[in-house]
Amino acid sequence: MCDACVIGAVKERMLSRRDFFRASAAVGATAAVGGLISAPPALAAGHGSVMDLTHTLDADFPTFFGVPGISMNKKFSFDKDGFNLYEMTINEHTATHIDAPLHFSADGISVDEIPVGNLVAPLCKVDVAAKAAENADYQLTPDDLKAWTDANGEIPDGAVVALYSGWAEKLGSDAFAGRDGEGKLHFPGFHPEATAMLLETGAGAIAVDTLSLDHGPSPDFATHYAWLPAGRYGIECLAGLADLPSAGATIIVGAPKHRGGTGGPARIFAMV
């Protein structure tokens, strides 16, 4: 086949693929309502929709240290180079992200070593939003966990136990990080006693809709130091928990896979 014919054939295939993806995107945009979209037919039986639990990552997203967690430098532009490409610098623990065991231990597994089977799990949502509304420094307690199990049964093996405090709705305001005049942070987290209680179960991960597994003013990161060295992982800054049931959803954790990483931004969603 002549060179011109090859080029023509390639262009034709590219255009047809472009039209296909444009059509698919249009269908997805029409179906989407607040991050909730109709589930594809191949979705596991018993789940009818998919909910995005991931915040959009940008330089304005609050971080624990108060500095931007990502920078993007455009290296190539479509107008000049025929394609777009950014070079990114990212703090691993920015926006919706994973805490690997290595984050708070000398020799724990890195984020790329988390078994993929541990990243698809039953989701247990423990709702403490009313208590957190009265106390920004609220810590989820063993009593909160007992109330959940009384209502929903035992925590399943491999489950992700998520603290829902309502903090995701504060994103965009100073209340999300709650940094006071002395630089201290204020937001809910897991009480070390609740963490110890969960370590006696088969739960595989704990998650929060705040900046840290520990509550904001924690002086010692006791929950981090108890949970992560035990070989289990954490998730911070979840979105969308308000719209999920207390039990019955399945969480899919799209963990990053860079060698030796202590964690990293992740695309996370739930099948409901």
Side-chain angles (χ1 to χ4, degrees):
M1 183 180 290
C2 66
D3 291 345
C5 295
V6 172
I7 293 172
V10 171
K11 283 185 176 179
E12 195 171 318
R13 283 200 297 272
M14 289 177 66
L15 288 172
S16 64
R17 285 174 60 80
R18 184 180 301 171
D19 291 341
F20 170 77
F21 286 118
R22 281 177 175 167
S24 299
V27 171
T30 301
V33 179
L36 186 65
I37 65 172
S38 298
L43 202 60
H47 296 98
S49 58
V50 180
M51 174 64 73
D52 194 353
L53 304 184
T54 316
H55 288 291
T56 299
L57 172 57
D58 60 29
D60 294 326
F61 199 96
T63 62
F64 192 88
F65 298 106
V67 297
I70 182 172
S71 63
M72 299 174 61
N73 178 28
K74 195 164 191 177
K75 303 291 288 186
F76 298 93
S77 65
F78 189 84
D79 290 344
K80 179 182 176 183
D81 306 298
F83 64 98
N84 294 308
L85 185 149
Y86 287 90
E87 183 177 76
M88 299 192 300
T89 301
I90 303 176
N91 180 316
E92 288 178 311
H93 299 272
T94 299
T96 304
H97 67 275
I98 304 298
D99 280 7
L102 182 60
H103 185 36
F104 268 72
S105 60
D107 56 0
I109 64 171
S110 55
V111 69
D112 56 300
E113 296 173 322
I114 297 175
V116 69
N118 294 1
L119 301 175
V120 180
L123 179 63
C124 306
K125 184 184 84 170
V126 184
D127 188 343
V128 296
K131 296 174 181 178
E134 296 180 359
N135 176 13
D137 297 331
Y138 186 77
Q139 297 181 77
L140 185 151
T141 68
D143 286 342
D144 294 319
L145 293 176
K146 185 176 185 305
W148 189 95
T149 56
D150 286 346
N152 301 285
E154 294 300 313
I155 293 171
D157 286 346
V160 173
V161 179
L163 176 158
Y164 168 59
S165 68
W167 240 245
E169 288 78 7
K170 299 179 184 293
L171 187 63
S173 73
D174 292 340
F176 184 76
R179 201 178 303 275
D180 62 23
E182 299 178 353
K184 292 182 179 179
L185 304 178
H186 297 277
F187 49 75
F190 279 86
H191 194 285
E193 291 179 2
T195 305
M197 183 175 175
L198 285 170
L199 284 170
E200 298 299 318
T201 73
I206 56 175
V208 293
D209 54 4
T210 65
L211 282 173
S212 175
L213 303 177
D214 287 276
H215 75 315
S218 171
D220 54 10
F221 298 102
T223 286
H224 277 84
Y225 278 115
W227 187 259
L228 298 178
R232 312 191 202 192
Y233 70 94
I235 306 171
E236 295 172 337
C237 296
L238 277 178
L241 288 176
D243 299 318
L244 295 180
S246 295
T250 297
I251 192 168
I252 312 294
V253 182
K257 201 175 180 182
H258 53 296
R259 194 178 306 280
T262 70
R267 189 68 183 264
I268 301 176
F269 53 96
M271 298 191 299
V272 185

